[in-house]
Amino acid sequence: MTKVAEHRSVLAGLDDWIPYLDANSGLPGPRGNLELVAACGEEAGVSRALDLIATGDEFATVCGLVAIGRCFGEGDHRHVDLLHRYAADARWRAREGVAMALQRAADDDPEGAFTVAETWAIDPDPLVRRAAVAAVCEPRLLKDPGFALRALGLLDRVTESVVAIPSAERRSPSVRTLRKTLGYGWSVAVAALPEQGMVMFTRWEADDDPDVRWIINENRKKARFKRLIERSSPM
């Protein structure tokens, strides 16, 4: 039995999940218990998920958000606004929970999840745009060339949005967070669809914007990108 299955088995027998989440969250610490998050995401219905989020506890909130994502994938689209709101939460784990929620939704309804991400990619809030990038730049979601191409298009639009930000606003934490996510996202999408991806990526290499240069350089440092270059280099 996997750790996720073990946690699901325990949760299924509990009326109150909070003591179990508190005891097994892995927090405070450098890494939360992602297996438990996944178990909650699979086991909680909408009502339970909303209750977890309403506690205000960071770990419980992440668990509830991922469950909302699963419910979205199953056809319940009532709480997209809630995911949007938490995409700009002050807590980084909650923001990551939103990205995980869209990824979980995409496992069952990739069209619906990518449509939400594409809408968020033009949102005025850099943190919402960051959630869109983080959500679609997940290798398991990009095995289909059509969705990989959509991810590349999303990255292109969001990178363009960074260029449009006035210089005086570039040092804000939200823009820095967006830039950091773009600093690995391109490598994921290009690795999924190398031919088209490299064409789109190399167009940005000619841009002299300092943040674009940083994004390009960070992606080129990634092992997946280096492997791609090695495979494409002539012997």
Side-chain angles (χ1 to χ4, degrees):
M1 182 180 289
T2 66
K3 291 297 295 183
V4 173
E6 289 178 15
H7 287 309
R8 289 190 69 179
S9 179
V10 173
L11 292 170
L14 297 175
D15 291 325
D16 182 2
W17 288 11
I18 299 302
Y20 187 77
L21 299 188
D22 288 344
N24 294 278
S25 70
L27 303 179
R31 180 185 182 275
N33 187 338
L34 296 181
E35 292 86 0
L36 181 52
V37 170
C40 291
E42 298 306 310
E43 199 65 29
V46 171
S47 179
R48 172 88 71 178
L50 294 175
D51 287 345
L52 290 171
I53 294 167
T55 65
D57 176 79
E58 188 172 19
F59 187 80
T61 295
V62 172
C63 292
L65 290 168
V66 175
I68 290 294
R70 189 202 82 247
C71 294
F72 180 100
E74 293 173 350
D76 187 341
H77 296 179
R78 293 175 295 167
H79 301 290
V80 175
D81 288 346
L82 181 147
L83 293 176
H84 179 272
R85 184 166 73 252
Y86 278 91
D89 196 87
R91 300 165 296 180
W92 73 266
R93 284 192 176 91
R95 298 195 301 268
E96 192 60 28
V98 172
M100 292 166 63
L102 272 193
Q103 290 169 357
R104 180 60 187 85
D107 288 332
D108 294 322
D109 180 11
E111 178 61 38
F114 269 74
T115 297
V116 170
E118 287 163 342
T119 300
W120 289 5
I122 57 173
D123 194 273
D125 192 322
L127 290 177
V128 176
R129 301 201 298 275
R130 180 265 166 195
V133 172
V136 303
C137 291
E138 166 56 45
R140 77 174 190 267
L141 304 182
L142 304 183
K143 295 177 181 178
D144 182 299
F147 288 111
L149 187 60
R150 288 173 71 169
L152 287 164
L154 185 150
L155 284 161
D156 204 49
R157 289 191 294 276
V158 176
T159 302
E160 198 170 290
S161 79
V162 172
V163 176
I165 298 171
S167 298
E169 300 174 19
R170 298 280 186 101
R171 293 186 178 277
S172 72
S174 60
V175 174
R176 293 289 185 176
T177 299
L178 171 59
R179 191 184 75 156
K180 183 177 180 180
T181 303
L182 287 167
Y184 76 82
W186 273 102
S187 68
V188 176
V190 171
L193 199 65
E195 186 173 346
Q196 294 95 321
M198 284 301 294
V199 170
M200 297 176 75
F201 183 78
T202 53
R203 285 198 203 114
W204 284 109
E205 292 187 310
D207 198 298
D208 61 2
D209 182 277
D211 286 306
V212 171
R213 297 304 311 159
W214 186 91
I215 290 165
I216 293 294
N217 291 336
E218 287 300 303
N219 278 281
R220 283 198 166 276
K221 293 176 187 176
K222 301 297 182 280
R224 69 177 70 89
F225 200 97
K226 291 179 179 179
R227 288 194 296 269
L228 181 64
I229 296 301
E230 289 170 2
R231 288 198 300 267
S232 61
S233 297
M235 299 297 290

